[in-house]
Amino acid sequence: MNAIIFTAVWGIVMMFGGVFIKSKSTPKYLAIIGLIFILLANYCEIYRGKPFFVIDVKDALHFNSFSLTFITIILACTLLYFLLSGRDIEKVGEHVSEYFSLIFFVLCGACIAATFNTLLMLFIGIEIISIPLYILTGSDKRNLKSNEAALKYFLMGAFSTGIMLMGIAFVYGGNADVASFNITNINLGAGKMPTLIAVGLVFLLIAMSFKASAAPFHFWTPDVYDGAPTVFTSFMATIVKVAVFMAFIRLFEGAFGKVQQQWQALIVIITAATLLIGNITAVFQQSVKRMLAYSSIAQAGFMLLALFALNQQAKEGLVLYAAAYSLASIGMFAILLKMNDYTIDGFNGLIKQQPVLAVTAGIFLLSLTGVPLTAGFVSKFYMLLSAAQSVHFHWLIILAVLCAAVSAYYYFKIIQAIFFKENTTAQQTWDVTPAFKILLIITAALIIVLGLYPDIITEALHY
Amino acid sequence: MLGDSITFPHLLIFFPLIAGLITFFLKKDSIVKVWAFIASLITLFISAASLYHADNAAYNGLTFNYEWLRYLGTSFSVSLDGVGRILTFLTAISFPIIFGATYKNEYKNSNVFYGLMLLAQCGLMGVFLATDALLFYFFWELALIPVYFLCSRWGGEKRIQATFKFFIYTFAGSLLMLVGIIFVYLHTAPTSYAPHSFAMNAFYNASLNHSQQNILFWLFFIAFAIKMPIFPFHTWQPDTYEQSPTAVTMVLSGIMVKMGLFALIRWLLPVFPLAVAKFDHVAIVLSIIGILYASLIAIQQDDLKRLVAYSSIAHIGLMSAAIFATKAIGLEGVIIQMFNHGINIIGLWIVIDLTEKQLGVRKISQLGGIATKAPVLTIALVVIAFANIALPLTNAFIGEFMMFSGLFEYNKWYAAIAGISVILAAVYTLNMVQKVFYGETNALTATVKEVSLNEKIVLAILVVLIFAIGIHPQPIFDLSKDTVSLLTKLVTR
């Protein structure tokens, strides 16, 4: 509860702060202080069991170790994101404080999405995440691409919201004798699904796939990620994405877990399509930013394996994946933000110009590929392990690993450029501070530590 | 007594790791070289000290176990047993030889080069020591990463493409193995904390039925076949060997290919005996096709590095065929031959490297008559070449003899066809010796000088090893006997 209230409150503080604060760099520090405070408050709630607020939410929200650990991860990743990319947020436009405010609102939505217990709260959570993002996408007002991306995102988002609402209505209608939005109260009988609920389930599946950019509902993603200011793409492709996934898995486990057999085949189709489309299209990208957008679709395919499996390992794996993927992607985007040239050739010879950036980028890319010693390996391993426990669809796992091998192809193209190619174009101008380098090193170290001791996170789920 | 503290097998992993990490921070080239050489000598010392205790059954300093991911049933457990002892010793002895023989080679950013080499040694040691399947996979991949960087950074002109192909091939194979490991894991017995276990013994006793084994066999086999490599998974190998810096080629061909053979012995045969009994013919036929095909291509080669690369495919193919024949004598032969092949091929690379360093070429057609100018180099080469074609008195003879015996016991036709490779090996090896080292000198080879003292020492060590094992191979059989008896028991169960 602490995190939900405080993120909302701090969002408002930042919004009004924008009226009074004239300096461009102050909002960043304010945001960082706020986030640290929220993290501490969340920590108190997990380990001391003492929320500051005891509000009777009538079972609309459900807090457990899984959701609270997950909230800690997204808050910690956001903190890292602020520290690494704070200066780049300042460069986007005039309304710096408002940008931070919008990010806090997204976090509030993410916390709700991680803890919802009724379909209405899910809807509210997802919308609180989405609406600020539409604005952030279009925040570079003078850039036509940014405007177009915002419009596209908004239209697609509104469309999927409609589908989601319709799905909720169908589920509620099919459940009329209970008359509850509570996801655990859905009356599925003895493994049989009333037609209305089945239709509602499909609508919800489509809507959530839209939000999570799972194929074949992913087509808005590359354009929106490419058009949005890169610093916000970084936030959208990492923290927001894993939050939506969290909501996705909670919804389907809580509401329809009992009849998993009946919808598992749908998930298999979506997962396979996501893996194939994400990976194959990423191979052909010349812009690293677009490549990361497609690779985020590909990574979503791996996260969908958790939804396919729905067991203890899947949950642990998803939390690990959230941390591993966010850390590596935030780091990679932070480095990308420092470059003038977003093509793969722009990375040529980075090792000579900026060794720290080059080595940490290498670690981030190795983690995204899923090479041992990095958190990316452990999280992928957990996903495969959870999926392998299912008796059906073993081919899906083989497909997943073959796609992981394909992903090595495009991630290693950047590694090649960084370490083995010569820079033939003009020297870049680097706006890199020692503090930035230290933060990158810390992020890379976290990835290695998580790769060696994933128990740090998974044990929290057992407490 | 040397004491427990220096024979812990995990020291063989951690010492090169720490030494490698330190190397990255050294600045001066001369210090880097000395440091890397000394570090590799210390590792050799640890390995030798461990072997000293190998016969002592009561001594339990040769295993190490640390609970790692408890709820998953995996632990950092390493053990020096049987075939692992020999291959860790091969790894330990190869690095000082490689560093010594390439001491004069200059590398840009030598601290990074030597650091990565030591990290590769750490990964290789881990592969040969791990008795936990997940840990094994971990090291299996870790050994690959430094080598990828070494080849791509310091290799020849087409290094980036060649190494990229190598990486993607082996990475894809490894991932299939990972899926296989997960499936076997899900069929193991529970431990006190976890529902299943990754421990080697749990894998050996996993309850897998015939059809499950048949599928899992291929997931593992493809990964290992790519690594060895055997036909038709070998296409990455000649390019990579040719393009890598010679020191790295030595690591790749001398030690790294043994990972695949070792994995067959440690993980494939004992875990899937039913599938091995079903598919052994397929694997042997593939191996034999590889032997003949690679030998014939080797005869045609004009590039020394490519010739040795193809000859290596042929030798590895024979070892793989002997493993799948699953006869005790053949397996003993394979184990000793893994060590011998490592020594011999490193020797060949050293000679090629010394020639290329002086003359700048490695085309057979451009060389000739080196013997008159560099007799010591030539004598060493002739001995190594004899070992390469398994002449009696040299180390490879006993291994090849036993492998052919095992293959013969299994099927005499297979043994006969594979036996053609002995003749073909003599053709390409002796042809190379004759054309490169004998005959008339030309304008280029007239400038050749004799090798320097440290290179002479390295070559002498190799020659001594070749004869010593050739005359008295028993110590190596003693080291590996427990593996062979365990293996024959598991495979025929």
Side-chain angles (χ1 to χ4, degrees), chain B residues 101-223:
Chain B
T102 58
Y103 199 79
K104 281 193 186 157
N105 294 16
E106 294 297 332
Y107 303 102
K108 242 181 174 180
N109 303 102
S110 64
N111 55 341
V112 182
F113 181 88
Y114 283 97
L116 287 171
M117 285 288 274
L118 289 171
L119 292 188
Q121 189 185 26
C122 155
L124 288 163
M125 289 287 191
V127 169
F128 299 136
L129 288 167
T131 50
D132 179 284
L134 192 62
L135 190 69
F136 168 76
Y137 179 80
F138 221 75
F139 283 116
W140 179 272
E141 289 289 49
L142 276 193
L144 176 64
I145 300 293
V147 173
Y148 168 76
F149 280 95
L150 283 166
C151 299
S152 301
R153 184 83 183 78
W154 288 274
E157 234 172 82
K158 293 182 197 148
R159 62 188 189 277
I160 296 181
Q161 294 93 314
T163 322
F164 199 35
K165 188 173 168 187
F166 159 65
F167 181 82
I168 297 286
Y169 254 78
T170 42
F171 188 65
S174 311
L175 283 171
L176 290 178
M177 175 171 70
L178 179 65
V179 175
I181 289 176
I182 289 173
F183 276 109
V184 180
Y185 164 76
L186 292 174
H187 291 90
T188 54
T191 67
S192 48
Y193 288 107
H196 302 287
S197 162
F198 281 102
M200 185 171 80
N201 286 326
F203 265 52
Y204 286 1
N205 296 315
S207 54
L208 295 164
N209 63 34
H210 207 138
S211 59
Q212 286 167 331
Q213 286 200 16
N214 289 347
I215 298 167
L216 290 166
F217 172 89
W218 288 103
L219 292 178
F220 279 75
F221 178 74
I222 292 175

Side-chain angles (χ1 to χ4, degrees), chain A residues 43-226:
Chain A
Y43 176 83
C44 287
E45 190 169 347
I46 298 183
Y47 291 101
R48 310 266 154 178
K50 284 181 190 157
F52 294 169
F53 308 94
V54 183
I55 301 169
D56 184 8
V57 290
K58 308 280 184 208
D59 209 21
L61 296 172
H62 179 68
F63 297 93
N64 58 9
S65 62
F66 182 45
S67 53
L68 288 172
T69 309
F70 185 78
I71 290 174
T72 311
I73 289 173
I74 51 176
L75 291 176
C77 288
T78 313
L79 179 64
L80 203 63
Y81 163 72
F82 281 169
L83 290 168
L84 276 169
S85 308
R87 287 182 62 181
D88 298 287
I89 298 180
E90 291 162 14
K91 288 181 196 156
V92 174
E94 293 301 312
H95 310 285
V96 182
S97 194
E98 281 80 349
Y99 302 148
F100 281 107
S101 159
L102 289 168
I103 290 171
F104 273 102
F105 290 138
V106 174
L107 286 181
C108 177
C111 295
I112 295 175
T115 53
F116 73 91
N117 208 30
T118 70
L119 292 172
L120 285 184
M121 285 317 271
L122 165 74
F123 176 70
I124 291 171
I126 293 287
E127 282 311 292
I128 298 179
I129 291 177
S130 303
I131 295 167
L133 286 181
Y134 304 148
I135 310 168
L136 288 174
T137 307
S139 54
D140 188 0
K141 281 187 283 191
R142 285 149 297 181
N143 185 344
L144 266 182
K145 256 177 108 181
S146 172
N147 287 330
E148 188 196 322
L151 189 62
K152 199 177 240 178
Y153 195 14
F154 173 68
L155 287 176
M156 286 298 153
F159 188 52
S160 65
T161 300
I163 293 176
M164 180 188 271
L165 270 182
M166 200 142 76
I168 292 174
F170 271 112
V171 172
Y172 186 80
N175 206 20
D177 46 334
V178 188
S180 160
F181 284 109
N182 195 313
I183 55 169
T184 47
N185 284 350
I186 294 174
N187 183 14
L188 294 167
K192 282 188 184 161
M193 236 190 319
T195 317
L196 278 181
I197 292 188
V199 175
L201 182 148
V202 174
F203 277 131
L204 281 172
L205 185 65
I206 293 173
M208 291 307 283
S209 301
F210 253 114
K211 298 287 183 192
S213 67
F217 311 104
H218 67 285
F219 42 81
W220 57 272
T221 316
D223 292 342
V224 171
Y225 283 10
D226 198 28

Side-chain angles (χ1 to χ4, degrees), chain A residues 75 364-365 434:
Chain A
L75 291 176
F364 300 146
L365 290 165

Side-chain angles (χ1 to χ4, degrees), chain B residues 207-413:
Chain B
S207 54
L208 295 164
N209 63 34
H210 207 138
S211 59
Q212 286 167 331
Q213 286 200 16
N214 289 347
I215 298 167
L216 290 166
F217 172 89
W218 288 103
L219 292 178
F220 279 75
F221 178 74
I222 292 175
F224 302 154
I226 292 174
K227 203 75 162 193
M228 287 191 272
I230 59 170
F231 180 85
F233 305 99
H234 66 284
T235 55
W236 61 267
Q237 195 241 38
D239 296 334
T240 311
Y241 281 15
E242 187 188 358
Q243 294 299 324
S244 302
T246 309
V248 181
T249 313
M250 291 179 202
V251 175
L252 272 170
S253 58
I255 316 167
M256 219 160 168
V257 294
K258 308 301 182 305
M259 280 166 61
L261 294 163
F262 167 82
L264 289 179
I265 293 174
R266 162 86 30 108
W267 297 101
L268 191 92
L269 259 51
V271 181
F272 313 115
L274 297 174
V276 170
K278 185 177 164 77
F279 295 120
D280 50 358
H281 284 280
V282 183
I284 292 177
V285 168
L286 284 180
S287 306
I288 292 177
I289 293 174
I291 297 172
L292 299 179
Y293 163 88
S295 301
L296 290 171
I297 297 183
I299 294 175
Q300 301 294 321
Q301 290 304 314
D302 192 32
D303 185 300
L304 279 173
K305 265 190 149 179
R306 285 186 88 85
L307 185 144
V308 177
Y310 278 107
S311 113
S312 176
I313 296 181
H315 285 113
I316 296 288
L318 180 58
M319 290 183 226
S320 150
I323 289 175
F324 279 101
T326 60
K327 302 291 174 206
I329 186 165
L331 287 169
E332 277 186 58
V334 171
I335 293 173
I336 191 169
Q337 195 65 356
M338 282 202 268
F339 187 83
N340 293 335
H341 178 260
I343 297 294
N344 297 346
I345 199 157
I346 287 175
L348 282 175
W349 290 127
I350 289 174
V351 176
I352 294 173
D353 185 51
L354 292 176
T355 319
E356 192 189 358
K357 242 185 335 197
Q358 284 203 32
L359 302 173
V361 292
R362 37 168 215 263
K363 288 251 182 293
I364 296 174
S365 53
Q366 294 175 341
L367 298 166
I370 293 176
T372 50
K373 301 285 173 185
V376 175
L377 181 67
T378 309
I379 292 168
L381 174 87
V382 170
V383 173
I384 297 166
F386 282 163
N388 195 43
I389 55 178
L391 218 65
L393 268 193
T394 63
N395 56 359
F397 169 71
I398 183 72
E400 272 202 13
F401 174 78
M402 291 169 86
M403 287 195 296
F404 278 119
S405 306
L407 206 53
F408 191 85
E409 239 181 81
Y410 178 83
N411 181 319
K412 56 179 182 294
W413 289 107

